[in-house]
Amino acid sequence: MDGRTRVRRWAGFGAAGTLAMYLLVKVVWVVVALGTGRSPVHGMGTGAWIALNTLTVGMAVVGIGLALALACDWGLRLPAAPVLLFAWIAGGLLISAVPFSLLGSLVGGGGGDDGGGASSDDGGMPSWEALLIMVGFAGMAVGVAIALPIYLRERWPRALTGRVGALRAANAPWAVMAAVAAIAVADLYWAAGGGAATNPHYKDGLDATARSLLIGDAFWAAAGAASAWVLAGRARNLPLRLPVAAAFVASGSLVGWGLWRLPFAVLRPGDFEPYERPWASIAVNAVSVAAGVALAVHLARAVRARTGGQEPADAK
């Protein structure tokens, strides 16, 4: 076993182990809600609370399975489509957001919940729960960020090696680039305190974590636009792994976070209100999903033309 494979294994097992901490918290929340018959969050019904956290339990189980697949050699023999799909969504949700979320928490001197967090009597979740959730998210993000590129390089080496000039030149997807650039501009505008299309019913101003997440969304949207342009055959001396990685994470982020936020913007469970006006939130997230899918298709076409549909050799 070479050193790179060893790193992949340790990173994958570490991601699975840390995400298990997040899974533990979510299971406890569901069990307690079922036992007490009430939601700990003001304005959210017990049924909605249980449904939301059951969904995140399922997501955590899938994430642990993905991490184990990245760590173990049997993962190299799994069908490509489900591995790439789950890795794409996991990378988009975690790798893109966690660094900015942690930065915002440090700058703001504290953290909030993850969108479905329990609240204690003083309005925040108990410290042990917050710690396990933070470690779970951060550990999974770091583990996947390390293990996934090694996994992809071992399975499809031609997709991540060489230079952009080796790609077959294609037309730049101008509509996709314009859409994700517009998302980046809107996110930066709101992060800077712009008031257009903001929701008058939103109760609190943006804290440091929320602003950092908007900046993170803008960063990855801009990275997606830039990678789409490069993958069309521009910047031909650039190492291929850079635009491939940027497009992979950016498109997953656009789709993953767009799909997560859309139901909240449409249904507004309990007393939830988006920071943007509901119509603006729905529009931005719908465009995000559509643009992310289109960027992923552009990436797949570029990489497939490069690899010729190459499949991996047997695992070592």
Side-chain angles (χ1 to χ4, degrees):
M1 182 191 307
D2 61 24
R4 189 166 55 196
T5 299
R6 189 175 293 108
V7 170
R8 169 174 62 82
R9 289 188 173 181
W10 279 107
F13 287 132
T18 52
L19 191 59
M21 301 179 187
Y22 173 88
L23 176 61
L24 172 64
V25 174
K26 292 294 185 169
V27 169
V28 169
W29 286 355
V30 172
V31 170
V32 170
L34 288 171
T36 62
R38 66 183 183 88
S39 165
V41 174
H42 176 70
M44 179 178 287
T46 304
W49 167 260
I50 292 173
L52 174 62
N53 285 287
T54 299
L55 173 62
T56 56
V57 165
M59 293 171 63
V61 170
V62 172
I64 291 171
L66 170 65
L68 293 176
L70 297 179
C72 301
D73 286 342
W74 53 260
L76 294 168
R77 298 188 290 272
L78 291 174
V83 174
L84 289 174
L85 175 63
F86 292 132
W88 180 54
I89 295 298
L93 289 174
L94 295 173
I95 296 174
S96 65
V98 166
F100 292 94
S101 178
L102 293 177
L103 177 62
S105 296
L106 292 174
V107 171
D113 64 44
D114 63 326
S119 295
S120 63
D121 293 336
D122 63 357
M125 72 179 73
S127 59
W128 71 269
E129 293 180 352
L131 177 62
L132 291 183
I133 285 177
M134 182 181 69
V135 171
F137 268 121
M140 180 67 178
V142 172
V144 170
I146 295 172
L148 181 59
I150 300 174
Y151 175 95
L152 295 176
R153 186 182 177 97
E154 291 183 1
R155 188 160 183 174
W156 296 283
R158 284 174 56 82
L160 292 170
T161 56
R163 299 194 174 272
V164 173
L167 295 175
R168 184 182 304 168
N171 294 327
W174 295 109
V176 176
M177 293 163 58
V180 293
I183 292 171
V185 170
D187 286 335
L188 287 176
Y189 171 77
W190 285 320
T198 55
N199 189 351
H201 301 296
Y202 188 81
K203 294 182 178 179
D204 303 308
L206 291 178
D207 60 14
T209 299
R211 291 181 189 278
S212 69
L213 288 175
L214 281 172
I215 293 171
D217 288 346
F219 172 85
W220 285 108
S227 63
W229 182 78
V230 171
L231 290 171
R234 278 66 175 179
R236 299 177 66 84
N237 288 325
L238 193 69
L240 185 59
R241 64 182 179 274
L242 298 180
V244 168
F248 189 85
V249 175
S251 60
S253 177
L254 289 165
V255 172
W257 284 110
L259 288 176
W260 177 257
R261 291 165 179 157
L262 260 177
F264 288 93
V266 173
L267 301 175
R268 284 183 281 171
D271 59 357
F272 172 80
E273 291 286 349
Y275 176 70
E276 311 86 2
R277 287 187 180 271
W279 64 263
S281 181
I282 292 170
V284 167
N285 287 297
V287 170
S288 176
V289 172
V293 170
L295 176 58
V297 170
H298 178 62
L299 170 63
R301 287 175 176 170
V303 170
R304 190 163 185 82
R306 164 78 165 150
T307 63
Q310 173 195 24
E311 276 297 317
D314 291 339
K316 298 176 182 178

